[in-house]
Amino acid sequence: MNNLLVMPVLIPLCTAVILMFLKEKVLLQRRISAFSGILNLVLACVLVTRIHEEGIQTLQMGGWTPPYGIVFVGDMFAALLVLTASVVSLGILLYSFTSIGAEREKFYYYTFFHFLLVGVYGSFLTGDIFNLFVFFEVMLISSYALISLGGTRLQLRETSKYLLVNIVSSTLFVAAVAYLYAAAGTLNMAHLSQRIHEAGQGGVLNVIAVLFLTVFALKAGLFLFFWLPGSYSAPPAAVRALFGALLTKVGLYAIIRTFTLIFAEDPDVTNGWIAWMAAATMILGALGAVAYNDIPRILNYNVIVSVGFVAFGLSAGTPDALDGAVFYLLHDMLGKALMFILGGLIIAAAGTDRLERMGGLIQRYPLLGWSFFALALALAGIPPFSGFPGKVLIIRGGLDAGMLTLSLIGLGSSLLVLYSLIKVFRLAFWGNASGTEPPKAKLKGGTAVAAGFLVLVILMGLGAERVNTYVSQAGDVLGSPQLYIEAVLKE
């Protein structure tokens, strides 16, 4: 048993409770939040190191022997996501200090920020399908508050849509969990995998699998992304960065975990569904990214493209594709956080989010401009940035699995991603400014955070071989679920 596994959940939970009593003390809230973020980052590094050296770690809450009771499981896949989420959340937290505004800070912004992290970390580390639902709900309830905080007309309108979609998906989630328990008699993920293997996946279990896929696809924006472009445009840039970097990734994690561990016995059915959903997501997301001329929607559709690309890696199911899906997921968490921060800085500098009203920003904000250019290369998968190794592994895995069409769609969507971001770079930073130039914005704090993320994106690409040592360990467990089962049920 390893009590370290519960700490990533416990630290932000305690932090959120403490911050509830410090409503008016903004500076103290910032300091406590930053300390909590740094502490979680250190613990995540320790957790990754321990799992790398000792293997999968488990914690049976209350000492109950599996499959009974609540179990936390830390394999390398979950640990890497916890580590990356810790880095991303700390960076976005620092960006919030200079961008979110005192009005939101005094209305429990940091409290909801940390409650959301409780849901994110808990989703990664839980070994029980019902507790996955519980942590999803903690995360979503926090996101409802964050997306509406500020009370603008756009926020309230989009919050209603976001709330309705997630209530429907949560209702389906509860129903799916109930049907699965009725069919298998357990909710422990490792035990579910064992029971389904013994019974043989088919018939009603395939129906339940499709129901889970629908639920998680709604939450991740996989094909069922109709709600995402508008909802993610409503809140401030820091909240958009948090949502784009973490929320959709939790949905993707749930899909990957569920369909490599629990419903892994009939891949021809489940992976076939995931494959066509991935193809549609990449195509529609890329078309949306090039069609719009306002920065928030361009960036939001780029989130959708990456969701489809990770799902493509899962559907291929080869060792290279699974390693690539993990690598690209880690890259995308960093890349999307950087993308939304830079997008927020561009909007602040130009005084508008419409590209046709921008121009000439490169003269006043050269560092911001070239950082965005580097980001465009990274998200398109150009070496030596971090997007390249993951994309190469996924494409190679797709070709090995005979998915030539999906591989070509993946490459084509990458080119359209590059085009959409270069369009932003060209129209916002070059040419002549449209109308009167706004006063020069104070972007120093946000630019420093963005520079830190950009350095990480570069280092992750240059050190891909070292990173792949950990990624391949995560991929081994996804490809061989028996490793996970034995670690959880060993007692």
Side-chain angles (χ1 to χ4, degrees):
M1 293 176 66
N2 187 349
N3 291 321
L4 185 64
L5 286 173
V6 77
M7 296 307 292
V9 176
L10 193 58
I11 290 171
L13 177 61
C14 294
T15 304
V17 172
I18 291 170
L19 295 179
M20 290 174 65
F21 300 97
L22 302 173
K23 179 177 180 290
E24 300 295 330
K25 299 179 180 180
V26 171
L27 187 58
L28 185 57
Q29 287 190 63
R30 292 178 180 178
R31 290 173 177 173
I32 293 174
S33 296
F35 176 76
S36 174
I38 293 169
L39 183 58
N40 240 13
L41 177 57
V42 172
L43 287 171
C45 292
V46 173
L47 184 60
V48 168
T49 302
R50 182 168 296 182
I51 292 172
H52 182 61
E53 294 174 351
E54 302 176 10
I56 298 174
Q57 304 289 302
T58 62
L59 172 63
Q60 290 82 43
M61 303 297 287
W64 288 87
T65 303
Y68 309 104
I70 297 172
V71 60
F72 278 63
V73 184
D75 65 344
M76 186 55 74
F77 182 38
L80 287 175
L81 290 175
V82 169
L83 174 59
T84 311
S86 299
V87 173
V88 166
S89 60
L90 179 59
I92 295 171
L93 183 68
L94 297 176
Y95 173 57
S96 299
F97 294 167
T98 60
S99 67
I100 202 67
E103 183 179 348
R104 288 186 174 90
E105 288 179 305
K106 289 181 179 180
F107 278 88
Y108 305 104
Y109 170 77
Y110 297 115
T111 298
F112 290 119
F113 186 103
H114 289 284
F115 273 130
L116 185 140
L117 294 182
V118 171
V120 171
Y121 294 138
S123 297
F124 292 151
L125 292 171
T126 185
D128 181 283
I129 195 73
F130 181 76
N131 285 306
L132 178 62
F133 165 75
V134 172
F135 283 118
F136 257 105
E137 290 309 297
V138 172
M139 178 183 72
L140 289 172
I141 290 170
S142 304
S143 71
Y144 300 154
L146 289 172
I147 198 173
S148 62
L149 198 61
T152 66
R153 186 174 181 178
L154 174 63
Q155 284 180 286
L156 295 177
R157 186 188 71 203
E158 294 298 334
T159 298
S160 300
K161 180 171 66 176
Y162 180 76
L163 187 64
L164 179 60
V165 168
N166 280 290
I167 286 175
V168 171
S169 66
S170 295
T171 304
L172 292 175
F173 198 169
V174 172
V177 170
Y179 288 135
L180 184 59
Y181 183 73
T186 183
L187 294 175
N188 181 285
M189 291 182 184
H191 200 213
L192 278 168
S193 179
Q194 201 174 59
R195 286 281 180 89
I196 291 174
H197 175 73
E198 292 169 356
Q201 185 179 328
V204 68
L205 285 173
N206 272 337
V207 174
I208 295 171
V210 171
L211 184 55
F212 271 104
L213 179 58
T214 302
V215 169
F216 295 143
L218 267 170
K219 296 181 183 297
L222 177 63
F223 184 61
L224 304 173
F225 59 78
F226 57 90
W227 57 271
L228 191 151
S231 296
Y232 279 24
S233 297
V239 178
R240 290 200 297 267
L242 190 66
F243 286 10
L246 297 184
L247 295 198
T248 55
K249 308 309 178 290
V250 175
L252 278 173
Y253 166 80
I255 293 173
I256 294 171
R257 180 67 78 194
T258 302
F259 290 94
T260 59
L261 178 63
I262 300 174
F263 299 109
E265 298 299 315
D266 196 0
D268 290 339
V269 173
T270 54
N271 286 12
W273 278 84
I274 294 171
W276 78 256
M277 292 174 76
T281 303
M282 287 188 285
I283 293 170
L284 296 175
L287 292 177
V290 301
Y292 284 94
N293 281 314
D294 62 293
I295 288 179
R297 287 188 180 270
I298 292 173
L299 303 188
N300 292 341
Y301 275 101
N302 273 286
V303 171
I304 292 165
V305 176
S306 63
V307 169
F309 205 86
V310 174
F312 165 35
L314 172 62
S315 67
T318 64
D320 278 344
L322 291 175
D323 288 355
V326 175
F327 202 119
Y328 192 81
L329 192 56
L330 302 179
H331 144 80
D332 201 56
M333 292 170 75
L334 291 171
K336 291 303 183 290
L338 174 59
M339 181 182 75
F340 281 106
I341 290 173
L342 289 176
L345 294 174
I346 293 171
I347 292 170
T352 178
D353 61 5
R354 303 292 303 181
L355 288 177
E356 64 269 20
R357 300 173 188 169
M358 297 183 186
L361 292 179
I362 196 70
Q363 299 173 3
R364 296 194 294 163
Y365 307 96
L367 179 59
L368 178 60
W370 293 114
S371 295
F372 191 85
F373 179 76
L375 167 73
L377 300 181
L379 294 185
I382 306 297
F385 298 99
S386 58
F388 177 71
K391 286 201 172 183
V392 167
L393 287 169
I394 290 175
I395 295 296
R396 188 165 69 183
L399 293 174
D400 289 343
M403 294 179 162
L404 177 60
T405 301
L406 213 56
S407 299
L408 292 175
I409 290 173
L411 290 172
S413 68
S414 298
L415 292 176
L416 290 178
V417 164
L418 181 61
Y419 172 80
S420 70
L421 295 176
I422 290 298
K423 180 176 73 172
V424 174
F425 177 68
R426 178 175 60 84
L427 295 177
F429 289 95
W430 299 98
N432 298 318
S434 302
T436 305
E437 289 187 359
K440 189 164 184 179
K442 296 179 180 179
L443 308 179
K444 187 175 180 180
T447 304
V449 173
F453 277 134
L454 183 59
V455 168
L456 290 176
V457 166
I458 295 171
L459 291 177
M460 190 175 173
L462 294 175
E465 187 173 354
R466 176 63 176 165
V467 174
N468 196 56
T469 303
Y470 296 87
V471 167
S472 60
Q473 188 175 346
D476 288 343
V477 177
L478 297 179
S480 302
Q482 193 61 33
L483 298 173
Y484 185 100
I485 296 168
E486 290 174 357
V488 175
L489 301 180
K490 60 181 179 295
E491 298 180 7

